Each structure stands twice: as C-alpha cells, then as structure tokens.
Amino acid sequence: MARYFPYVIVDRLPNTSKTRQAAEKAGAEIVQMSLRFWPRDLARRLRNQFNYRHELAEMSDDEISRYLSSKIEEIPIQEFVAGMSASDISRHSAAEERETYDSNQSTLF
C-alpha cells in the first residue's frame, strides 16, 4: 500500500522549529505561501509524489506570473461576496486583488 504524505499550507513559518517538528512527526510536508511561487512548488511536490501533472510545475517565473494573473481574473468574486452590498462590491475587483498579490510578492524578494 502506498503511503501518502499530507501537505500543510501555511502563510509563513515562525522562526522556531516547533511547526517543522510537528509536521515531520505527522509525516507532512510544509508549503509556505510566503514563498513567491508556492503554487509551483506544490505542483512539483504533487508531481513527484503522485505523478500528478499540472502545467504550473514546468512554468518559468514569467509564465507563472501571467498564468496566475489570468486565473485570478476568472474567479467569480460575486460568489464570495454574496452578503456584501453593491457599493462594497464595486470597491473591489479581481484586478485590484491581482495588483495587491503582485505587489506583495515583489516585496518578498
């Protein structure tokens, strides 16, 4: 029987080893969203462990930026903001979220 390792996706790890030790004890791998292209890292781990193929695993930094931006544009934001008023919704857009994502990513590196 194949052994499957869970993945723990976190924003960023504290400077202590406690989280890493807990993950190791559980047989889990940690993926940090604070890393610039963590979706590619996760795609590569899934490919290596399960032979799961996703185009993200092979993309360059430039390609992945465009890919993620296009996918963010496709997100049906209205499904997530169903309880908000129209004026609240009009203040937010996928493009604004993408700009925020891009600027946050550039400050990490």
Side-chain angles (χ1 to χ4, degrees):
M1 182 173 159
R3 182 166 184 223
Y4 296 104
F5 298 93
Y7 293 93
V8 179
I9 301 174
V10 298
D11 181 28
R12 64 181 71 223
L13 287 175
N15 288 331
T16 66
S17 61
K18 184 178 177 180
T19 305
R20 290 186 194 280
Q21 289 171 347
E24 188 176 308
K25 185 177 179 180
E29 291 187 41
I30 297 174
V31 177
Q32 292 186 69
M33 293 188 313
S34 60
L35 299 177
R36 187 164 186 198
F37 295 119
W38 70 269
R40 178 178 53 200
D41 177 47
L42 180 59
R44 287 177 176 172
R45 291 176 190 225
L46 292 170
R47 177 193 62 203
N48 294 341
Q49 185 176 359
F50 301 107
N51 202 30
Y52 174 77
R53 300 284 181 212
H54 192 279
E55 56 194 319
L56 278 170
E58 306 304 324
M59 289 184 187
S60 69
D61 289 356
D62 288 339
E63 292 171 319
I64 198 168
S65 290
R66 286 190 300 272
Y67 176 83
L68 292 175
S69 291
S70 71
K71 293 301 183 183
I72 288 171
E73 289 290 331
E74 296 173 11
I75 296 172
I77 298 295
Q78 55 276 29
E79 290 181 22
F80 296 99
V81 295
M84 295 176 70
S85 69
S87 62
D88 288 335
I89 294 170
S90 67
R91 285 187 252 152
H92 302 285
S93 70
E96 290 171 329
E97 296 301 324
R98 183 185 69 234
E99 289 172 18
T100 301
Y101 173 82
D102 290 344
S103 67
N104 287 339
Q105 294 303 309
S106 65
T107 60
L108 294 173
F109 298 94

